[in-house]
Amino acid sequence: MNISININGETVTRDVEPRTLLVHFIRDTPGLTGTHWGCDTSNCGACVVQMDGQPLKSCTALAAMCEGHEIRTVEALEVDGKLDPIQQGFHEKHALQCGFCTPGMLMTTRALLDENPDPTEAEIRMAISGSICRCTGYQNIVAAVRWAAENAEAEVQS
């Protein structure tokens, strides 16, 4: 079947098998490999993207189901050489180690901050509860989200 999906503001069209997962469509078609493919069971959260502004585990969605929706990947966070505050927060607060979960965590927490610009620690922990990080212990991730919330208007550079 032929599908077209808007990914990061660009329409991507491809013939796919009906069973093609969104994570594979994103990685294979436009070559956006920032979206990680981890567990293939929707447990880890490494594959989180945003669909219409909401976090979505892209290993749980068929690409064909996403036609007509706006998909945003981690590659869309940095604009014109400027990091998104959530990316800068992860840097400032050392919220990553191996980096495998980071794209999913960034997309999940970006959606949280878009909906709630000043989340509590409990709200942050609830938002990231669907994502597994085996390295950090989560404390620095929570601190990074708080940093981003407090510095949302700051001009951050890569």
Side-chain angles (χ1 to χ4, degrees):
M1 67 186 303
N2 190 283
I3 63 170
S4 295
I5 301 176
N6 185 316
I7 302 175
N8 298 335
E10 294 185 24
T11 300
V12 179
T13 302
R14 179 178 173 204
D15 282 322
V16 298
E17 291 186 35
R19 64 183 176 162
T20 301
L21 295 173
L22 179 60
V23 66
H24 298 302
F25 186 88
I26 290 169
R27 290 179 61 82
D28 296 344
T29 303
L32 298 172
T33 57
T35 301
H36 290 166
W37 178 40
C39 66
D40 208 21
T41 60
S42 79
N43 290 317
C44 74
C47 68
V48 171
V49 296
Q50 291 179 7
M51 183 166 80
D52 301 330
Q54 296 299 310
L56 171 71
K57 291 182 178 180
S58 61
C59 75
T60 65
L62 296 173
M65 296 169 54
C66 299
E67 192 164 26
H69 295 279
E70 175 74 26
I71 302 298
R72 187 173 183 216
T73 70
V74 69
E75 287 88 351
L77 292 179
E78 177 267 329
V79 177
D80 295 329
K82 294 181 183 173
L83 296 177
D84 183 279
I86 194 66
Q87 291 173 303
Q88 190 68 33
F90 269 60
H91 172 75
E92 296 292 333
K93 296 299 178 178
H94 311 287
L96 62 109
Q97 289 180 27
C98 82
F100 195 78
C101 73
T102 304
M105 288 284 190
L106 289 170
M107 296 311 290
T108 298
T109 55
R110 176 75 268 153
L112 169 66
L113 292 174
D114 289 345
E115 186 174 303
N116 179 359
D118 191 27
T120 65
E121 180 176 334
E123 290 168 327
I124 296 167
R125 288 185 180 278
M126 178 60 79
I128 64 173
S129 66
S131 298
I132 296 172
C133 177
R134 295 187 173 149
C135 301
T136 67
Y138 301 98
Q139 190 58 40
N140 288 0
I141 293 171
V142 172
V145 178
R146 287 297 320 139
W147 187 96
E150 293 165 4
N151 293 279
E153 300 302 318
E155 180 139 341
V156 283
Q157 305 239 351
S158 60

